[in-house]
Amino acid sequence: MSLLLDVLSWVLLLSGGLLSIVSAFGVLRLPELFQRMHSATILDTLGAGLVLSGLILQAGFTVISFKLFLVFLLLALTTTTAAHALAKSALADGIYPKGIDPEVVRAGLSEGLPGRQRIATDRARERVAPPASPQEDPPPQPSEEGGPPWA
Amino acid sequence: MGVAIDIILLLFLLSIAFAACVTRNLFSAAMLFGIFSLISATLFVVLDAVDVAMTEAAVGTGVSTILILITLASTGYRVSPRPAGRQVLALAVSVVLGATMVYGTLDMPSLGSPDAPVHTHPIAQYYTEVSPVEMGIPNMVTPLLASYRGYDTLGETAVVFTAGIGVLALIGRRRRKDPLPIVEEFREGGANRHRVLRVISKQLIPPILLYACYVQAHGDFGPGGGFQAGVIFASGLMLFMLLFGVEHARRIIRPVVLEKLIALGLLIYGGVGLVNILQGGAFLDYRTLAHDPQHGLHYGILTIELGVGITVAAVITTIIYSFASHLRDHVMQRTLRLRQGADAAQTSPESGA
């Protein structure tokens, strides 16, 4: 039983390490921001998850494995959120994925976004392609909702 | 194996420092400094200095990066090119200073060497052999810091206190006669539109604050204590401020309260010393606090650690508030000026775009 656990945990550890190396190559070699981000998030979630599960199997039913699980939970939550925020900021800054019609992304971005972000999106749009007729867009409206945002 | 990890981490540090010097974009430089601090923190963990690593991770990676970014937001992200003469002078000064420091390290004993003065001096032997018996505290760092070297720590807390007062005097608490009308976009926090970011990060704040309380209370048994707990607590509050804006943060923990807390922490520390004198002992001789001298030591150490934690958390939060409020005023003034310009321009056609 313990041999089986050992083998299983080493398989997990090694595959996690392999995945990390692959995704590091991806970050270095892939041509564009979104692809590189994709590669980096594989390391953050799956690579770290495999390594941590391997370590949990090594530790057995102890406090250490519970702590490792907490580390995994934290990584899974924060790194994916960070990647989401990064991608969103890149889009708002006028960097679009290759092979996707920028108009589609822009339409999706500025739809339903009043206030500051709309201004940023419009600015990014102007930077990429100067608008043919600037009067088409309504002027950015300040947001109406005044309640506390944590509610 | 440990040496290999050390070498890899040090190489990382070198290359990051070089990249931070070379880059012309100050935003990248700020990010690189954050990574530099994170790797230093890892290095401290490798060296078994977990409490230093906690402080470095919270202050170096979290707080100071945010402070630099706040400053850059009002000054701009580009470096203006310098005249070549001054660059040569700066290079010469850095090379001379660096060479002096490297020359200084040549006399240092190698890491972990048993012949190092730290290990051979009789006081070290006293601390390692007598302190666990005398104090009854498993974590040797805490009694050293709080009791044997209590005066030093009082001085350090006073330094933190002075830093907070200094920032307040320079950029904090300007009571305006005519407070600026708050621009609507600015009333909401920066992350209000990033719903995913807001929801996930909001969940992280309570664990961070809880962990800070744990580090505060657990200093006798594991790595931790007032300084670490204070910076972790302050970084949790900073996360709240980043998510919901400085306006909301100031409404929840008011700057007036923070000012009182800055002084309160130092007062608690000094007050314990005064109580010791009143009980008939020396200043900061905690043994007088209870019938059993060991219990007195425990009470004294816990109390002064609490004072340190309060002061550190309040000072760092005050500094962050001051910087953020400064930036907010800056941005609001700019926005108002732009609006007034737009209003003036609306009277003439064809200039709104």
Side-chain angles (χ1 to χ4, degrees), chain B residues 162-177:
Chain B
T162 317
I165 300 293
V167 170
L168 273 181
L170 283 174
I171 60 171
R173 278 216 89 167
R174 271 178 305 165
R175 280 214 197 82
R176 289 179 174 279
K177 285 275 165 55

Side-chain angles (χ1 to χ4, degrees), chain A residues 78 81 88 114 117 143 149-150, chain B residues 188 192-193 197 200 204 248:
Chain A
T78 51
T81 313
K88 216 172 164 186
Q117 198 166 346
S143 161
W150 60 82
Chain B
E188 300 153 357
N192 201 26
R193 302 273 173 237
L197 193 65
I200 299 290
L204 292 178
H248 287 302

Side-chain angles (χ1 to χ4, degrees), chain A residues 74 77-78 81-82 84-85 88-89 113-117 119 134-135 141-143 145-151, chain B residues 184-190 192-198 200-202 204 240 243-244 248 251-252 339 350 353:
Chain A
L74 183 79
L77 278 178
T78 51
T81 313
H84 174 85
K88 216 172 164 186
S89 329
L113 290 179
R116 210 150 55 126
Q117 198 166 346
I119 304 175
Q135 271 74 25
Q141 293 288 326
S143 161
E145 40 186 307
W150 60 82
Chain B
E184 275 303 319
E185 291 98 317
F186 219 81
R187 188 188 286 281
E188 300 153 357
N192 201 26
R193 302 273 173 237
H194 291 265
R195 196 161 296 153
V196 176
L197 193 65
R198 189 185 78 212
I200 299 290
S201 310
K202 196 167 70 172
L204 292 178
F240 182 87
L243 287 177
F244 301 117
H248 287 302
R251 230 174 291 154
I252 286 174
R339 265 200 197 157
E350 286 287 314

Side-chain angles (χ1 to χ4, degrees), chain B residues 71-338:
Chain B
T71 313
L72 287 182
S74 57
T75 58
Y77 294 115
R78 301 296 296 180
V79 189
S80 54
R82 294 253 180 79
R86 251 200 283 170
Q87 280 182 343
V88 171
L89 187 68
L91 186 70
V93 170
S94 321
V95 166
V96 170
L97 271 180
T100 318
M101 286 168 81
V102 171
Y103 177 73
T105 59
L106 291 182
D107 277 348
M108 274 174 66
S110 60
L111 182 68
S113 150
D115 303 330
V118 187
H119 301 300
T120 53
H121 197 276
I123 192 85
Q125 208 178 0
Y126 178 83
Y127 285 152
T128 47
E129 285 173 3
V130 179
S131 103
V133 184
E134 191 176 32
M135 299 281 181
I137 291 177
N139 180 14
M140 208 178 293
V141 178
T142 300
L144 248 181
L145 184 136
S147 178
Y148 293 120
R149 297 298 188 93
Y151 286 10
D152 289 11
T153 312
L154 179 62
E156 282 160 19
T157 315
V159 167
V160 175
F161 172 83
T162 317
I165 300 293
V167 170
L168 273 181
L170 283 174
I171 60 171
R173 278 216 89 167
R174 271 178 305 165
R175 280 214 197 82
R176 289 179 174 279
K177 285 275 165 55
D178 49 337
L180 286 169
I182 292 174
V183 178
E184 275 303 319
E185 291 98 317
F186 219 81
R187 188 188 286 281
E188 300 153 357
N192 201 26
R193 302 273 173 237
H194 291 265
R195 196 161 296 153
V196 176
L197 193 65
R198 189 185 78 212
V199 170
I200 299 290
S201 310
K202 196 167 70 172
Q203 314 300 328
L204 292 178
I205 297 173
I208 292 175
L209 299 185
L210 190 67
Y211 180 65
C213 296
Y214 165 78
V215 169
Q216 171 81 52
H218 204 246
D220 286 4
F221 302 99
F227 288 101
Q228 289 80 12
V231 294
I232 294 172
F233 202 88
S235 59
L237 294 180
M238 181 182 76
L239 184 57
F240 182 87
M241 191 200 80
L242 288 176
L243 287 177
F244 301 117
V246 68
E247 280 300 317
H248 287 302
R250 284 170 74 109
R251 230 174 291 154
I252 286 174
I253 298 193
R254 307 186 73 88
V256 187
V257 179
L258 281 178
E259 282 168 23
K260 309 280 188 296
L261 286 179
I262 291 178
L264 178 73
L266 195 59
L267 268 179
I268 289 178
Y269 202 141
V272 171
L274 284 185
V275 170
N276 294 147
I277 291 180
L278 291 181
Q279 298 272 23
F283 188 66
L284 292 180
D285 181 5
Y286 312 130
R287 282 172 299 186
T288 55
L289 286 177
H291 284 302
D292 186 346
Q294 219 175 50
H295 287 183
L297 282 167
H298 292 189
Y299 297 152
I301 289 173
L302 279 178
T303 317
I304 66 124
E305 290 275 15
L306 184 67
V308 172
I310 290 175
T311 294
V312 169
V315 163
I316 291 182
T317 315
T318 305
I319 293 176
I320 297 167
Y321 275 5
S322 309
F323 272 64
S325 311
H326 199 71
L327 175 66
R328 182 204 52 189
D329 289 355
H330 181 79
V331 171
M332 282 200 307
Q333 275 167 335
R334 201 171 53 192
T335 316
L336 286 178
R337 230 179 293 136
L338 282 178

Side-chain angles (χ1 to χ4, degrees), chain A residues 21-124:
Chain A
I21 294 173
V22 169
S23 86
F25 269 109
V27 171
L28 287 175
R29 301 288 302 168
L30 283 175
E32 143 203 69
L33 176 92
F34 293 92
Q35 295 173 9
R36 285 202 296 270
M37 250 180 58
H38 167 69
S39 178
T41 41
I42 286 180
L43 167 64
D44 286 341
T45 50
L46 194 55
L50 284 175
V51 169
L52 285 170
S53 355
L55 289 175
I56 287 176
L57 285 188
Q58 287 278 333
F61 265 112
T62 50
V63 185
I64 296 176
S65 57
F66 179 65
K67 285 180 183 171
L68 286 170
F69 177 70
L70 284 185
V71 170
F72 169 71
L73 212 63
L74 183 79
L75 275 181
L77 278 178
T78 51
T79 55
T80 45
T81 313
H84 174 85
L86 186 61
K88 216 172 164 186
S89 329
L91 287 176
D93 214 31
I95 302 170
Y96 299 116
K98 259 183 211 158
I100 292 179
D101 183 16
E103 258 327 303
V104 178
V105 183
R106 282 173 213 153
L109 261 184
S110 71
E111 196 177 318
L113 290 179
R116 210 150 55 126
Q117 198 166 346
R118 164 130 203 170
I119 304 175
T121 317
D122 289 348
R123 238 184 251 144

